[in-house]
Amino acid sequence: MSAEFGPFYGTPCAVMSPLYGALEAGPGVFTVAREDNAIGIAVGAALTGHCPVVLMQNHGLGPSLGAIAALVMPYRVPLLLAVHVRGEAGGHPAEAALLSRITRPLLDGLGLAVVEFDPARPADEQVERARDAVRDQRTPTALLIPPTALETGEREG
């Protein structure tokens, strides 16, 4: 995912550990305690000419609404939100099902461009689409990562 993106910010997350591991082997990930704080820091990075990425699960969108609505969208800050959509096998199936159902409409309602990651297609092609939206079109974009894309056999508690 590092194709001209960076820096990377994220909150600790066992489910996204395969992605974090891949990034740690390259550009690295700055750990931030809360998703909304990560968005604020990423906005600062974008204003200095970087193409930042915030890594989060979809349940982190709720606490981040204010940061997205007040900082990202009014100023069309070009950044990427890599949003993993939790599957129903997570710790709280009812919560995960609800959040999975409302994630895309929530992102659409905020006005973010959305690229839905399809594990059956080449990852580079999909990351390039997201990069083009963020870097070339200067559009705040969400890359939606489905539950199965990062499965390693472990479950989040």
Side-chain angles (χ1 to χ4, degrees):
M1 171 174 288
S2 65
E4 300 177 41
F5 281 111
F8 295 83
Y9 304 98
T11 56
C13 173
V15 173
M16 292 182 74
S17 63
L19 180 55
Y20 279 66
L23 290 170
E24 286 297 339
V29 178
F30 293 100
T31 300
V32 182
R34 292 174 41 119
E35 290 88 350
D36 56 343
N37 292 340
I39 289 170
I41 296 167
V43 166
L47 294 175
T48 64
H50 294 284
C51 224
V53 178
V54 176
L55 307 166
M56 66 169 58
Q57 286 193 47
N58 61 334
H59 70 265
L61 282 172
S64 301
L65 290 176
I68 296 168
L71 289 174
V72 176
M73 297 314 298
Y75 304 105
R76 295 189 47 80
V77 177
L79 57 77
L80 180 67
L81 300 177
V83 181
H84 179 260
V85 179
R86 288 176 55 186
E88 293 183 28
H92 302 284
E95 172 195 9
L98 171 64
L99 291 173
S100 293
R101 198 169 57 246
I102 67 169
T103 296
R104 177 65 193 249
L106 182 62
L107 294 169
D108 289 339
L110 286 166
L112 283 142
V114 177
V115 174
E116 292 199 36
F117 186 84
D118 179 355
R121 296 180 53 219
D124 290 348
E125 172 187 305
Q126 297 173 79
V127 171
E128 185 175 319
R129 282 184 41 223
R131 185 205 61 220
D132 289 346
V134 174
R135 190 195 65 197
D136 298 340
Q137 299 169 20
R138 313 249 341 128
T139 302
T141 303
L143 176 65
L144 278 181
I145 304 167
T148 58
L150 299 176
E151 283 185 354
T152 62
E154 297 176 21
R155 295 287 183 225
E156 177 186 22

